[in-house]
Amino acid sequence: MKWVAAPAVLSIGLLLAGCTPEQQRGFLPAGSTDATNLTPGITGLWVTSWIVLLAVGVITWSLILWATIAYRRRKGQTGLPVQLRYNMPIETFFTVVPVILVLGFFAFTAQEQSKIEARYDNPENVVQVFGKRWAWDFNYVKDDAYFQGVQVQTDKAGEPKDGTMPVLYLPVNKKTEIQLETRDVIHSFWVVEFLYKKDMIPGQVNYMSFTPTKTGTFMGKCAELCGEYHSMMLFEVRVVEQDEYDAYIDSLKAAGNKGQVEGDLNPNQEYFFGDEAKAENE
């Protein structure tokens, strides 16, 4: 076993030492490692899991190769080699090790998930996001301003035209809560570099809590097939300094976008809230 394990460990060490930055983050999107306060933990869980699985794979392949060579039929031999009915040490090993691996993966995943799903008691910034076929509305709750998006328009090359992409602005290093709702069918709010997405379900409010830790522009999209133009349900997240964020909020108010977009624009309101909503509308 020693002569099998030692080369395996050495090979893994040499392989990791020569990894590019892209490989070291597990081929996750560029810029995702420090996009929010949660992405380092997600990246660590992802990369560590692949390292463990790679080590298990190398050991398994080495043992298969060793058994193939050590117990091959030699020249002059006939028939089957001596058969073993059982081997308690090996059977115990192949039972205990997988159980330990499964429990370990579960424990670290549950630990990371609890951090991701935790909500801030007092978020510094709150944004209410409405998904709709096939665009986005953003209510900047604490700043009493809103943005209403339209479906992204593309040119002949299929690239989004300037000025048609909905943009969500967030101040850097501020505890942020995103309240997720939908006006029609199920959508999914996904900022690619944030390494996390969450469904938007009719009649239900879901939440995402995080702190953006890096300025820049990040790609967002709907990650739930929602109809004909699902592929065009795109948006951008721009994480900016506080003064730039304040200037953007002022520009929204100056353009008449002061206040909040109401939820009663939901075309499924009667279905989800029944006769009371119908009576109010009448």
Side-chain angles (χ1 to χ4, degrees), residues 17-78:
C19 284
T20 64
E22 182 183 28
Q23 293 168 333
Q24 289 176 2
R25 62 173 183 270
F27 297 96
L28 293 174
S32 61
T33 305
D34 54 355
T36 74
N37 63 313
L38 300 175
T39 53
I42 299 172
T43 302
L45 178 63
W46 172 261
V47 174
T48 303
S49 298
W50 276 110
I51 291 174
V52 172
L53 294 174
L54 178 61
V56 171
V58 169
I59 293 173
T60 302
W61 299 327
S62 300
L63 288 173
I64 292 173
L65 183 62
W66 171 75
T68 302
I69 296 173
Y71 296 103
R72 74 189 187 280
R73 179 183 293 176
R74 266 65 172 188
K75 185 177 181 180
Q77 292 181 336
T78 59

Side-chain angles (χ1 to χ4, degrees), residues 111-167:
Q111 182 183 47
E112 199 61 39
Q113 183 176 335
S114 65
K115 296 178 183 178
I116 295 171
E117 294 295 337
R119 292 178 60 188
Y120 292 126
D121 293 330
N122 296 295
E124 299 170 273
N125 185 42
V126 178
V127 182
Q128 185 182 32
V129 176
F130 286 104
K132 59 185 183 182
R133 292 186 296 185
W134 285 274
W136 307 85
D137 294 341
F138 306 130
N139 278 334
Y140 297 91
V141 177
K142 291 196 172 185
D143 297 292
D144 197 34
Y146 69 88
F147 169 87
Q148 286 187 283
V150 297
Q151 182 180 325
V152 173
Q153 303 299 306
T154 59
D155 55 25
K156 293 182 179 180
E159 296 296 325
K161 293 182 179 179
D162 293 339
T164 67
M165 180 79 75
V167 179

Side-chain angles (χ1 to χ4, degrees), residues 238-259:
R238 293 182 188 172
V239 180
V240 297
E241 298 293 345
Q242 185 65 49
D243 55 350
E244 185 175 348
Y245 174 80
D246 292 338
Y248 174 72
I249 294 297
D250 291 340
S251 71
L252 288 178
K253 293 180 179 179
N257 291 8
K258 180 177 173 59

